PDB file of all heavy atoms in Angstrom:
ATOM      1  N   GLU B  23       2.705   1.107  24.158  1.00 93.00           N
ATOM      2  CA  GLU B  23       1.432   1.711  23.687  1.00 93.00           C
ATOM      3  C   GLU B  23       1.581   2.054  22.242  1.00 93.00           C
ATOM      4  O   GLU B  23       2.660   2.425  21.772  1.00 93.00           O
ATOM      5  CB  GLU B  23       1.214   3.043  24.469  1.00 93.00           C
ATOM      6  CG  GLU B  23       0.121   2.986  25.534  1.00 93.00           C
ATOM      7  CD  GLU B  23      -0.052   4.403  26.044  1.00 93.00           C
ATOM      8  OE1 GLU B  23       0.806   4.914  26.715  1.00 93.00           O
ATOM      9  OE2 GLU B  23      -1.141   5.010  25.688  1.00 93.00           O
ATOM     10  N   ILE B  24       0.505   1.988  21.444  1.00 93.00           N
ATOM     11  CA  ILE B  24       0.527   2.352  20.038  1.00 93.00           C
ATOM     12  C   ILE B  24       0.327   3.888  19.994  1.00 93.00           C
ATOM     13  O   ILE B  24      -0.769   4.347  19.786  1.00 93.00           O
ATOM     14  CB  ILE B  24      -0.481   1.646  19.257  1.00 93.00           C
ATOM     15  CG1 ILE B  24      -0.260   0.089  19.348  1.00 93.00           C
ATOM     16  CG2 ILE B  24      -0.372   2.021  17.775  1.00 93.00           C
ATOM     17  CD1 ILE B  24       1.122  -0.374  18.943  1.00 93.00           C
ATOM     18  N   LYS B  25       1.409   4.607  20.204  1.00 93.00           N
ATOM     19  CA  LYS B  25       1.441   6.016  20.003  1.00 93.00           C
ATOM     20  C   LYS B  25       2.846   6.443  19.601  1.00 93.00           C
ATOM     21  O   LYS B  25       3.754   5.650  19.682  1.00 93.00           O
ATOM     22  CB  LYS B  25       1.061   6.791  21.298  1.00 93.00           C
ATOM     23  CG  LYS B  25       1.923   6.614  22.504  1.00 93.00           C
ATOM     24  CD  LYS B  25       1.457   7.288  23.727  1.00 93.00           C
ATOM     25  CE  LYS B  25       2.475   7.226  24.852  1.00 93.00           C
ATOM     26  NZ  LYS B  25       3.750   7.909  24.570  1.00 93.00           N
ATOM     27  N   ARG B  26       2.955   7.656  19.139  1.00 93.00           N
ATOM     28  CA  ARG B  26       4.283   8.076  18.614  1.00 93.00           C
ATOM     29  C   ARG B  26       5.428   7.701  19.542  1.00 93.00           C
ATOM     30  O   ARG B  26       5.360   8.031  20.752  1.00 93.00           O
ATOM     31  CB  ARG B  26       4.271   9.572  18.417  1.00 93.00           C
ATOM     32  CG  ARG B  26       5.547  10.169  17.840  1.00 93.00           C
ATOM     33  CD  ARG B  26       5.450  11.643  17.770  1.00 93.00           C
ATOM     34  NE  ARG B  26       6.784  12.280  17.438  1.00 93.00           N
ATOM     35  CZ  ARG B  26       7.268  12.333  16.177  1.00 93.00           C
ATOM     36  NH1 ARG B  26       6.625  11.801  15.214  1.00 93.00           N
ATOM     37  NH2 ARG B  26       8.462  12.886  16.002  1.00 93.00           N
ATOM     38  N   VAL B  27       6.477   7.099  18.964  1.00 92.00           N
ATOM     39  CA  VAL B  27       7.653   6.828  19.768  1.00 92.00           C
ATOM     40  C   VAL B  27       8.425   8.174  19.912  1.00 92.00           C
ATOM     41  O   VAL B  27       8.896   8.661  18.899  1.00 92.00           O
ATOM     42  CB  VAL B  27       8.537   5.741  19.083  1.00 92.00           C
ATOM     43  CG1 VAL B  27       9.826   5.541  19.840  1.00 92.00           C
ATOM     44  CG2 VAL B  27       7.732   4.450  18.946  1.00 92.00           C
ATOM     45  N   GLU B  28       8.525   8.624  21.104  1.00 91.00           N
ATOM     46  CA  GLU B  28       9.122   9.973  21.257  1.00 91.00           C
ATOM     47  C   GLU B  28      10.628   9.999  21.044  1.00 91.00           C
ATOM     48  O   GLU B  28      11.158  10.964  20.478  1.00 91.00           O
ATOM     49  CB  GLU B  28       8.736  10.568  22.641  1.00 91.00           C
ATOM     50  CG  GLU B  28       7.266  10.834  22.775  1.00 91.00           C
ATOM     51  CD  GLU B  28       6.769  11.871  21.750  1.00 91.00           C
ATOM     52  OE1 GLU B  28       7.568  12.603  21.172  1.00 91.00           O
ATOM     53  OE2 GLU B  28       5.538  11.914  21.521  1.00 91.00           O
ATOM     54  N   LYS B  29      11.296   9.020  21.530  1.00 90.00           N
ATOM     55  CA  LYS B  29      12.764   9.018  21.396  1.00 90.00           C
ATOM     56  C   LYS B  29      13.133   8.726  19.975  1.00 90.00           C
ATOM     57  O   LYS B  29      12.830   7.675  19.410  1.00 90.00           O
ATOM     58  CB  LYS B  29      13.324   7.942  22.326  1.00 90.00           C
ATOM     59  CG  LYS B  29      14.786   8.111  22.604  1.00 90.00           C
ATOM     60  CD  LYS B  29      15.268   7.116  23.709  1.00 90.00           C
ATOM     61  CE  LYS B  29      16.811   6.993  23.685  1.00 90.00           C
ATOM     62  NZ  LYS B  29      17.247   5.763  24.354  1.00 90.00           N
ATOM     63  N   GLU B  30      13.862   9.726  19.410  1.00 89.00           N
ATOM     64  CA  GLU B  30      14.154   9.647  17.971  1.00 89.00           C
ATOM     65  C   GLU B  30      14.879   8.386  17.541  1.00 89.00           C
ATOM     66  O   GLU B  30      14.451   7.727  16.576  1.00 89.00           O
ATOM     67  CB  GLU B  30      14.929  10.896  17.598  1.00 89.00           C
ATOM     68  CG  GLU B  30      15.105  11.062  16.032  1.00 89.00           C
ATOM     69  CD  GLU B  30      15.975  12.238  15.676  1.00 89.00           C
ATOM     70  OE1 GLU B  30      17.149  12.221  16.117  1.00 89.00           O
ATOM     71  OE2 GLU B  30      15.473  13.151  15.029  1.00 89.00           O
ATOM     72  N   SER B  31      15.933   7.997  18.275  1.00 89.00           N
ATOM     73  CA  SER B  31      16.647   6.831  17.917  1.00 89.00           C
ATOM     74  C   SER B  31      15.824   5.600  17.918  1.00 89.00           C
ATOM     75  O   SER B  31      15.847   4.751  16.984  1.00 89.00           O
ATOM     76  CB  SER B  31      17.885   6.670  18.788  1.00 89.00           C
ATOM     77  OG  SER B  31      17.507   6.511  20.116  1.00 89.00           O
ATOM     78  N   ASN B  32      15.010   5.449  18.919  1.00 90.00           N
ATOM     79  CA  ASN B  32      14.062   4.344  18.963  1.00 90.00           C
ATOM     80  C   ASN B  32      13.084   4.390  17.880  1.00 90.00           C
ATOM     81  O   ASN B  32      12.732   3.344  17.284  1.00 90.00           O
ATOM     82  CB  ASN B  32      13.303   4.324  20.302  1.00 90.00           C
ATOM     83  CG  ASN B  32      14.170   3.837  21.452  1.00 90.00           C
ATOM     84  OD1 ASN B  32      15.398   3.576  21.304  1.00 90.00           O
ATOM     85  ND2 ASN B  32      13.643   3.785  22.611  1.00 90.00           N
ATOM     86  N   ARG B  33      12.623   5.584  17.542  1.00 92.00           N
ATOM     87  CA  ARG B  33      11.619   5.744  16.483  1.00 92.00           C
ATOM     88  C   ARG B  33      12.168   5.199  15.124  1.00 92.00           C
ATOM     89  O   ARG B  33      11.512   4.508  14.370  1.00 92.00           O
ATOM     90  CB  ARG B  33      11.143   7.149  16.360  1.00 92.00           C
ATOM     91  CG  ARG B  33       9.846   7.254  15.517  1.00 92.00           C
ATOM     92  CD  ARG B  33       9.175   8.626  15.714  1.00 92.00           C
ATOM     93  NE  ARG B  33      10.027   9.709  15.277  1.00 92.00           N
ATOM     94  CZ  ARG B  33      10.567  10.620  15.983  1.00 92.00           C
ATOM     95  NH1 ARG B  33      10.373  10.576  17.351  1.00 92.00           N
ATOM     96  NH2 ARG B  33      11.293  11.602  15.561  1.00 92.00           N
ATOM     97  N   TYR B  34      13.412   5.561  14.851  1.00 91.00           N
ATOM     98  CA  TYR B  34      14.012   5.154  13.597  1.00 91.00           C
ATOM     99  C   TYR B  34      14.233   3.616  13.561  1.00 91.00           C
ATOM    100  O   TYR B  34      13.919   3.001  12.495  1.00 91.00           O
ATOM    101  CB  TYR B  34      15.442   5.797  13.411  1.00 91.00           C
ATOM    102  CG  TYR B  34      15.300   7.332  13.150  1.00 91.00           C
ATOM    103  CD1 TYR B  34      16.351   8.127  13.398  1.00 91.00           C
ATOM    104  CD2 TYR B  34      14.148   7.847  12.578  1.00 91.00           C
ATOM    105  CE1 TYR B  34      16.282   9.521  13.192  1.00 91.00           C
ATOM    106  CE2 TYR B  34      14.082   9.214  12.338  1.00 91.00           C
ATOM    107  CZ  TYR B  34      15.135  10.004  12.637  1.00 91.00           C
ATOM    108  OH  TYR B  34      15.093  11.375  12.386  1.00 91.00           O
ATOM    109  N   VAL B  35      14.655   3.114  14.653  1.00 91.00           N
ATOM    110  CA  VAL B  35      14.830   1.598  14.727  1.00 91.00           C
ATOM    111  C   VAL B  35      13.511   0.880  14.514  1.00 91.00           C
ATOM    112  O   VAL B  35      13.392  -0.007  13.742  1.00 91.00           O
ATOM    113  CB  VAL B  35      15.490   1.143  16.008  1.00 91.00           C
ATOM    114  CG1 VAL B  35      15.549  -0.338  16.123  1.00 91.00           C
ATOM    115  CG2 VAL B  35      16.920   1.767  16.084  1.00 91.00           C
TER     116      VAL B  35
END
Side-chain angles (χ1 to χ4, degrees):
Chain B
E23 254 187 288
I24 302 302
K25 63 182 187 61
R26 179 185 173 80
V27 175
E28 292 301 341
K29 198 174 164 196
E30 190 183 59
S31 60
N32 284 3
R33 194 166 63 246
Y34 290 156
V35 173

